[in-house]
Amino acid sequence: WYAIVFAWIIALGGWTAVYLMPDRYEAFARVHVDTQTVLRPLLSGLAVQPNLDQMVTMMSRTLINRPNLEKVIKMADMDVGLTAESRQRLITSLTRELTIKSAGSENLYSISYGDENPQQAKRVVQSLLTLFMEGSLGDKRKDSDSARRFIDEQLKGYSEKLVDAEDAKAESVDRIEDR
């Protein structure tokens, strides 16, 4: 009987503790990071290709930095009535709670954040995802511009070579006609 009474006391204590615990919600998003650039096929054999795993790791580390976290705070409407000290605590909390990790397959990553407010957790993850996508689009634009400049330079070089070859051919034809 003592064991049964003891088990009920432990169970009631556990149920009370679980009931008093605040709810915790976690929002997450999966992101595919396209590591294929426009320049890759153009520069194959001409330049050393960067390690893509290192690029993605560096990108995920730089995504959770102070300027980006301040943008997330503004985008998620968490900055209402914040003092400098509470802003710093919020940034520290976001740094601790936000996680970016590999989701198992190649180039697939998971961004997650937990909060007591489900809408707040969703807004934080959505804001970070928006920043991630904006950065990715900017990088794609830079890659496209670099590829266009590279192609333009190559066309200019080949055009000059073609003009030089045509001039040389014309000179040789003129010399043959003069003989």
Side-chain angles (χ1 to χ4, degrees), residues 43-98:
L43 296 178
S44 63
L46 298 175
V48 176
Q49 298 296 321
N51 184 340
L52 299 176
D53 292 333
Q54 288 177 346
M55 286 175 50
V56 171
T57 302
M58 183 173 48
M59 183 177 55
S60 67
R61 285 184 186 163
T62 57
L63 190 59
I64 304 179
N65 60 22
R66 186 176 181 93
N68 282 347
L69 290 179
E70 288 178 356
K71 288 178 187 176
V72 166
I73 289 171
K74 284 184 181 180
M75 291 170 73
D77 295 329
M78 299 170 74
D79 59 346
V80 178
L82 284 181
T83 64
E85 184 179 315
S86 60
R87 177 179 287 277
Q88 182 58 38
R89 281 195 308 261
L90 182 58
I91 288 173
T92 304
S93 171
L94 282 173
T95 304
R96 189 175 353 99
E97 294 292 327
L98 274 169

Side-chain angles (χ1 to χ4, degrees), residues 8 16 18 22 29-30 91 166 173 178:
W8 271 100
T16 304
V18 168
R30 289 190 180 171
I91 288 173
E166 287 175 348
V173 168
D178 287 342

Side-chain angles (χ1 to χ4, degrees), residues 11-178:
L12 289 174
W15 291 333
T16 304
V18 168
Y19 179 75
L20 294 176
M21 286 175 55
D23 292 335
R24 185 114 180 115
Y25 300 93
E26 185 172 334
F28 71 94
R30 289 190 180 171
V31 179
H32 179 267
V33 180
D34 184 14
T35 56
Q36 297 296 323
T37 66
V38 176
L39 288 176
R40 177 175 292 273
L42 297 174
L43 296 178
S44 63
L46 298 175
V48 176
Q49 298 296 321
N51 184 340
L52 299 176
D53 292 333
Q54 288 177 346
M55 286 175 50
V56 171
T57 302
M58 183 173 48
M59 183 177 55
S60 67
R61 285 184 186 163
T62 57
L63 190 59
I64 304 179
N65 60 22
R66 186 176 181 93
N68 282 347
L69 290 179
E70 288 178 356
K71 288 178 187 176
V72 166
I73 289 171
K74 284 184 181 180
M75 291 170 73
D77 295 329
M78 299 170 74
D79 59 346
V80 178
L82 284 181
T83 64
E85 184 179 315
S86 60
R87 177 179 287 277
Q88 182 58 38
R89 281 195 308 261
L90 182 58
I91 288 173
T92 304
S93 171
L94 282 173
T95 304
R96 189 175 353 99
E97 294 292 327
L98 274 169
T99 58
I100 299 176
K101 59 184 177 182
S102 176
S105 98
E106 186 176 326
N107 301 339
L108 190 63
Y109 292 86
S110 174
I111 300 172
S112 64
Y113 176 72
D115 197 293
E116 294 176 5
N117 180 346
Q119 296 303 317
Q120 189 67 34
K122 178 184 173 189
R123 284 193 302 264
V124 168
V125 170
Q126 184 64 46
S127 300
L128 196 61
L129 187 60
T130 301
L131 286 175
F132 183 83
M133 290 174 58
E134 286 173 356
S136 178
L137 288 175
D139 291 344
K140 289 290 184 188
R141 264 189 227 109
K142 287 177 189 174
D143 285 345
S144 295
D145 290 343
S146 297
R148 185 183 46 76
R149 280 194 304 272
F150 177 77
I151 290 171
D152 288 344
E153 289 171 6
Q154 293 295 312
L155 285 174
K156 184 178 176 183
Y158 287 130
S159 175
E160 290 171 0
K161 288 179 183 179
L162 182 61
V163 168
D164 291 344
E166 287 175 348
D167 290 344
K169 183 177 180 182
E171 286 177 14
S172 68
V173 168
D174 287 342
R175 276 188 249 148
I176 292 174
E177 289 176 356
D178 287 342

